[in-house]
Amino acid sequence: MLPKLDVPIYEVKLISTGKPIRFRPFLVKEQKLFLMAAESEDAKETINVIRQVLKNCVLDDIDVDTMPTFDLEYLFMNMRACLLYTSDAAD
C-alpha cells in the first residue's frame, strides 16, 4: 500500500454563496496537466483542465461543472496563491 501524502489543507469562502470550501494545493500531476493544456493553445482545453484540477483538489462535495465562472476563477486563484506561498516558504 502506498503511503498517504501529508499536504496542507486550506479553506476559502466562495463569493456567490459564502460557503467555505476546503482544498489542497496542486501536486505534480496537476502541474503536468497545465503544461499539456498550455502546449495545446486551445482555450476550451485550458478550461477543461482547470475544472479537472479543481475537481481533484477540492475536498468538499461541490459540483465544479455548475459553479459560476467567477467562483471558479476565485477558487483557482486562491489555490495558485497557496501553491506559491508554500513554494516560497520551502526555499
Side-chain angles (χ1 to χ4, degrees):
M1 185 151 109
L2 294 174
K4 182 175 169 79
L5 297 176
D6 290 324
V7 294
I9 296 177
Y10 300 99
E11 187 174 290
V12 66
K13 288 185 180 181
L14 292 180
I15 296 171
S16 64
T17 63
K19 178 182 175 183
I21 300 294
R22 295 176 310 130
F23 62 90
R24 65 167 174 80
F26 306 143
L27 299 177
V28 173
K29 64 182 177 181
E30 283 92 20
Q31 293 286 2
K32 287 182 181 180
L33 287 173
F34 286 129
L35 289 173
M36 290 188 306
E39 289 175 1
S40 77
E41 297 181 6
D42 180 14
K44 199 172 199 179
E45 179 67 24
T46 302
I47 292 169
N48 289 337
V49 166
I50 289 173
R51 287 185 190 277
Q52 183 60 51
V53 168
L54 290 176
K55 288 177 187 178
N56 292 354
C57 295
V58 171
L59 304 175
D60 294 321
D61 188 28
I62 61 169
D63 186 4
V64 172
D65 294 322
T66 61
M67 286 176 69
T69 304
F70 61 89
D71 274 341
L72 289 174
E73 291 174 357
Y74 183 71
L75 188 54
F76 176 74
M77 294 307 291
N78 275 277
M79 285 183 178
R80 181 77 177 131
C82 289
L83 175 70
L84 293 175
Y85 175 74
T86 56
S87 296
D88 288 344
D91 291 341

